[in-house]
């Protein structure tokens, strides 16, 4: 069982349902660095992730805090939604995405609570559209 910073405290600490399930839930792990804390993003906030190679996007929740030295991670479910197979030949998660991933976290968009995938999709779409939606995103990536 892997634990995450984002928890459903209705379940005891030994119950796997207490934590974000990487296989079934699209979530991201951001580094615990000062630069991330300075954005106002908090565990439980929603995010939009786009991978240029496949043109796929997914809504996710900020589910865990990782080491300050890391750039971040994504759950197995997030990788699968972006059409990246995270499993290596050994059957273990070894394959990441090295480049071309755009991630927007919407500070203040979450409740700090673990959500279902349906809630992540609905609330993530609302946060993305409130931010400016596809038109703003396209303008941002075309100007880079």
């Amino acid at each position: 069982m892997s634990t995450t910073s984002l928890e459903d405290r209705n379940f005891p600490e030994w119950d796997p349902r207490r934590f974000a399930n990487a296989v079934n839930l699209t979530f991201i792990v951001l580094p615990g660095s000062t630069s991330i804390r300075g954005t106002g993003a908090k565990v439980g906030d929603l995010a939009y992730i786009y991978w240029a190679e496949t043109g796929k996007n997914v809504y996710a929740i900020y589910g865990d805090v990782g080491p300050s030295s890391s750039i971040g991670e994504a759950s197995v479910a997030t990788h699968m939604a972006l059409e990246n197979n995270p499993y290596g030949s050994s059957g273990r998660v070894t394959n990441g995405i090295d480049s071309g991933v755009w991630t927007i976290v919407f500070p203040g968009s979450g409740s700090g609570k673990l959500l279902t995938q349906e809630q992540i999709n609905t609330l993530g779409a609302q946060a993305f559209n409130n931010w400016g939606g596809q038109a703003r995103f396209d303008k941002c990536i075309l100007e880079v």
Side-chain angles (χ1 to χ4, degrees):
M1 175 174 76
S2 294
T3 62
T4 57
S5 300
L6 188 60
E7 303 175 352
D8 183 341
R9 296 180 190 265
N10 292 317
F11 295 100
E13 291 182 16
W14 49 264
D15 191 323
R17 294 175 295 175
R18 182 179 178 109
F19 307 101
N21 183 321
V23 175
N24 299 325
L25 200 67
T26 56
F27 71 87
I28 56 172
V29 179
L30 296 177
S33 63
T34 305
S35 60
I36 296 296
R37 286 192 302 270
T39 66
K42 298 196 181 329
V43 170
D45 282 339
L46 296 154
Y48 173 83
I49 304 165
Y50 172 81
W51 188 21
E53 183 173 312
T54 61
K56 297 293 180 183
N57 63 64
V58 64
Y59 297 107
I61 193 166
Y62 178 8
D64 205 359
V65 178
S68 296
S69 59
S70 173
I71 191 169
E73 304 171 32
S75 67
V76 168
T78 302
H79 279 271
M80 299 301 278
L82 295 173
E83 294 186 357
N84 177 62
N85 181 1
Y87 297 104
S89 59
S90 66
R92 299 187 66 170
V93 175
T94 57
N95 301 331
I97 299 174
D98 294 330
S99 64
V101 176
W102 296 80
T103 302
I104 303 169
V105 180
F106 307 106
S109 61
S111 63
K113 296 182 179 177
L114 188 58
L115 303 175
T116 66
Q117 188 62 55
E118 183 178 346
Q119 291 169 320
I120 291 169
N121 293 340
T122 300
L123 297 173
Q126 288 174 0
F128 181 67
N129 289 328
N130 289 342
W131 172 78
Q134 195 64 47
R136 183 173 182 188
F137 181 76
D138 290 345
K139 186 173 182 186
C140 288
I141 65 170
L142 292 175
E143 291 181 2
V144 173

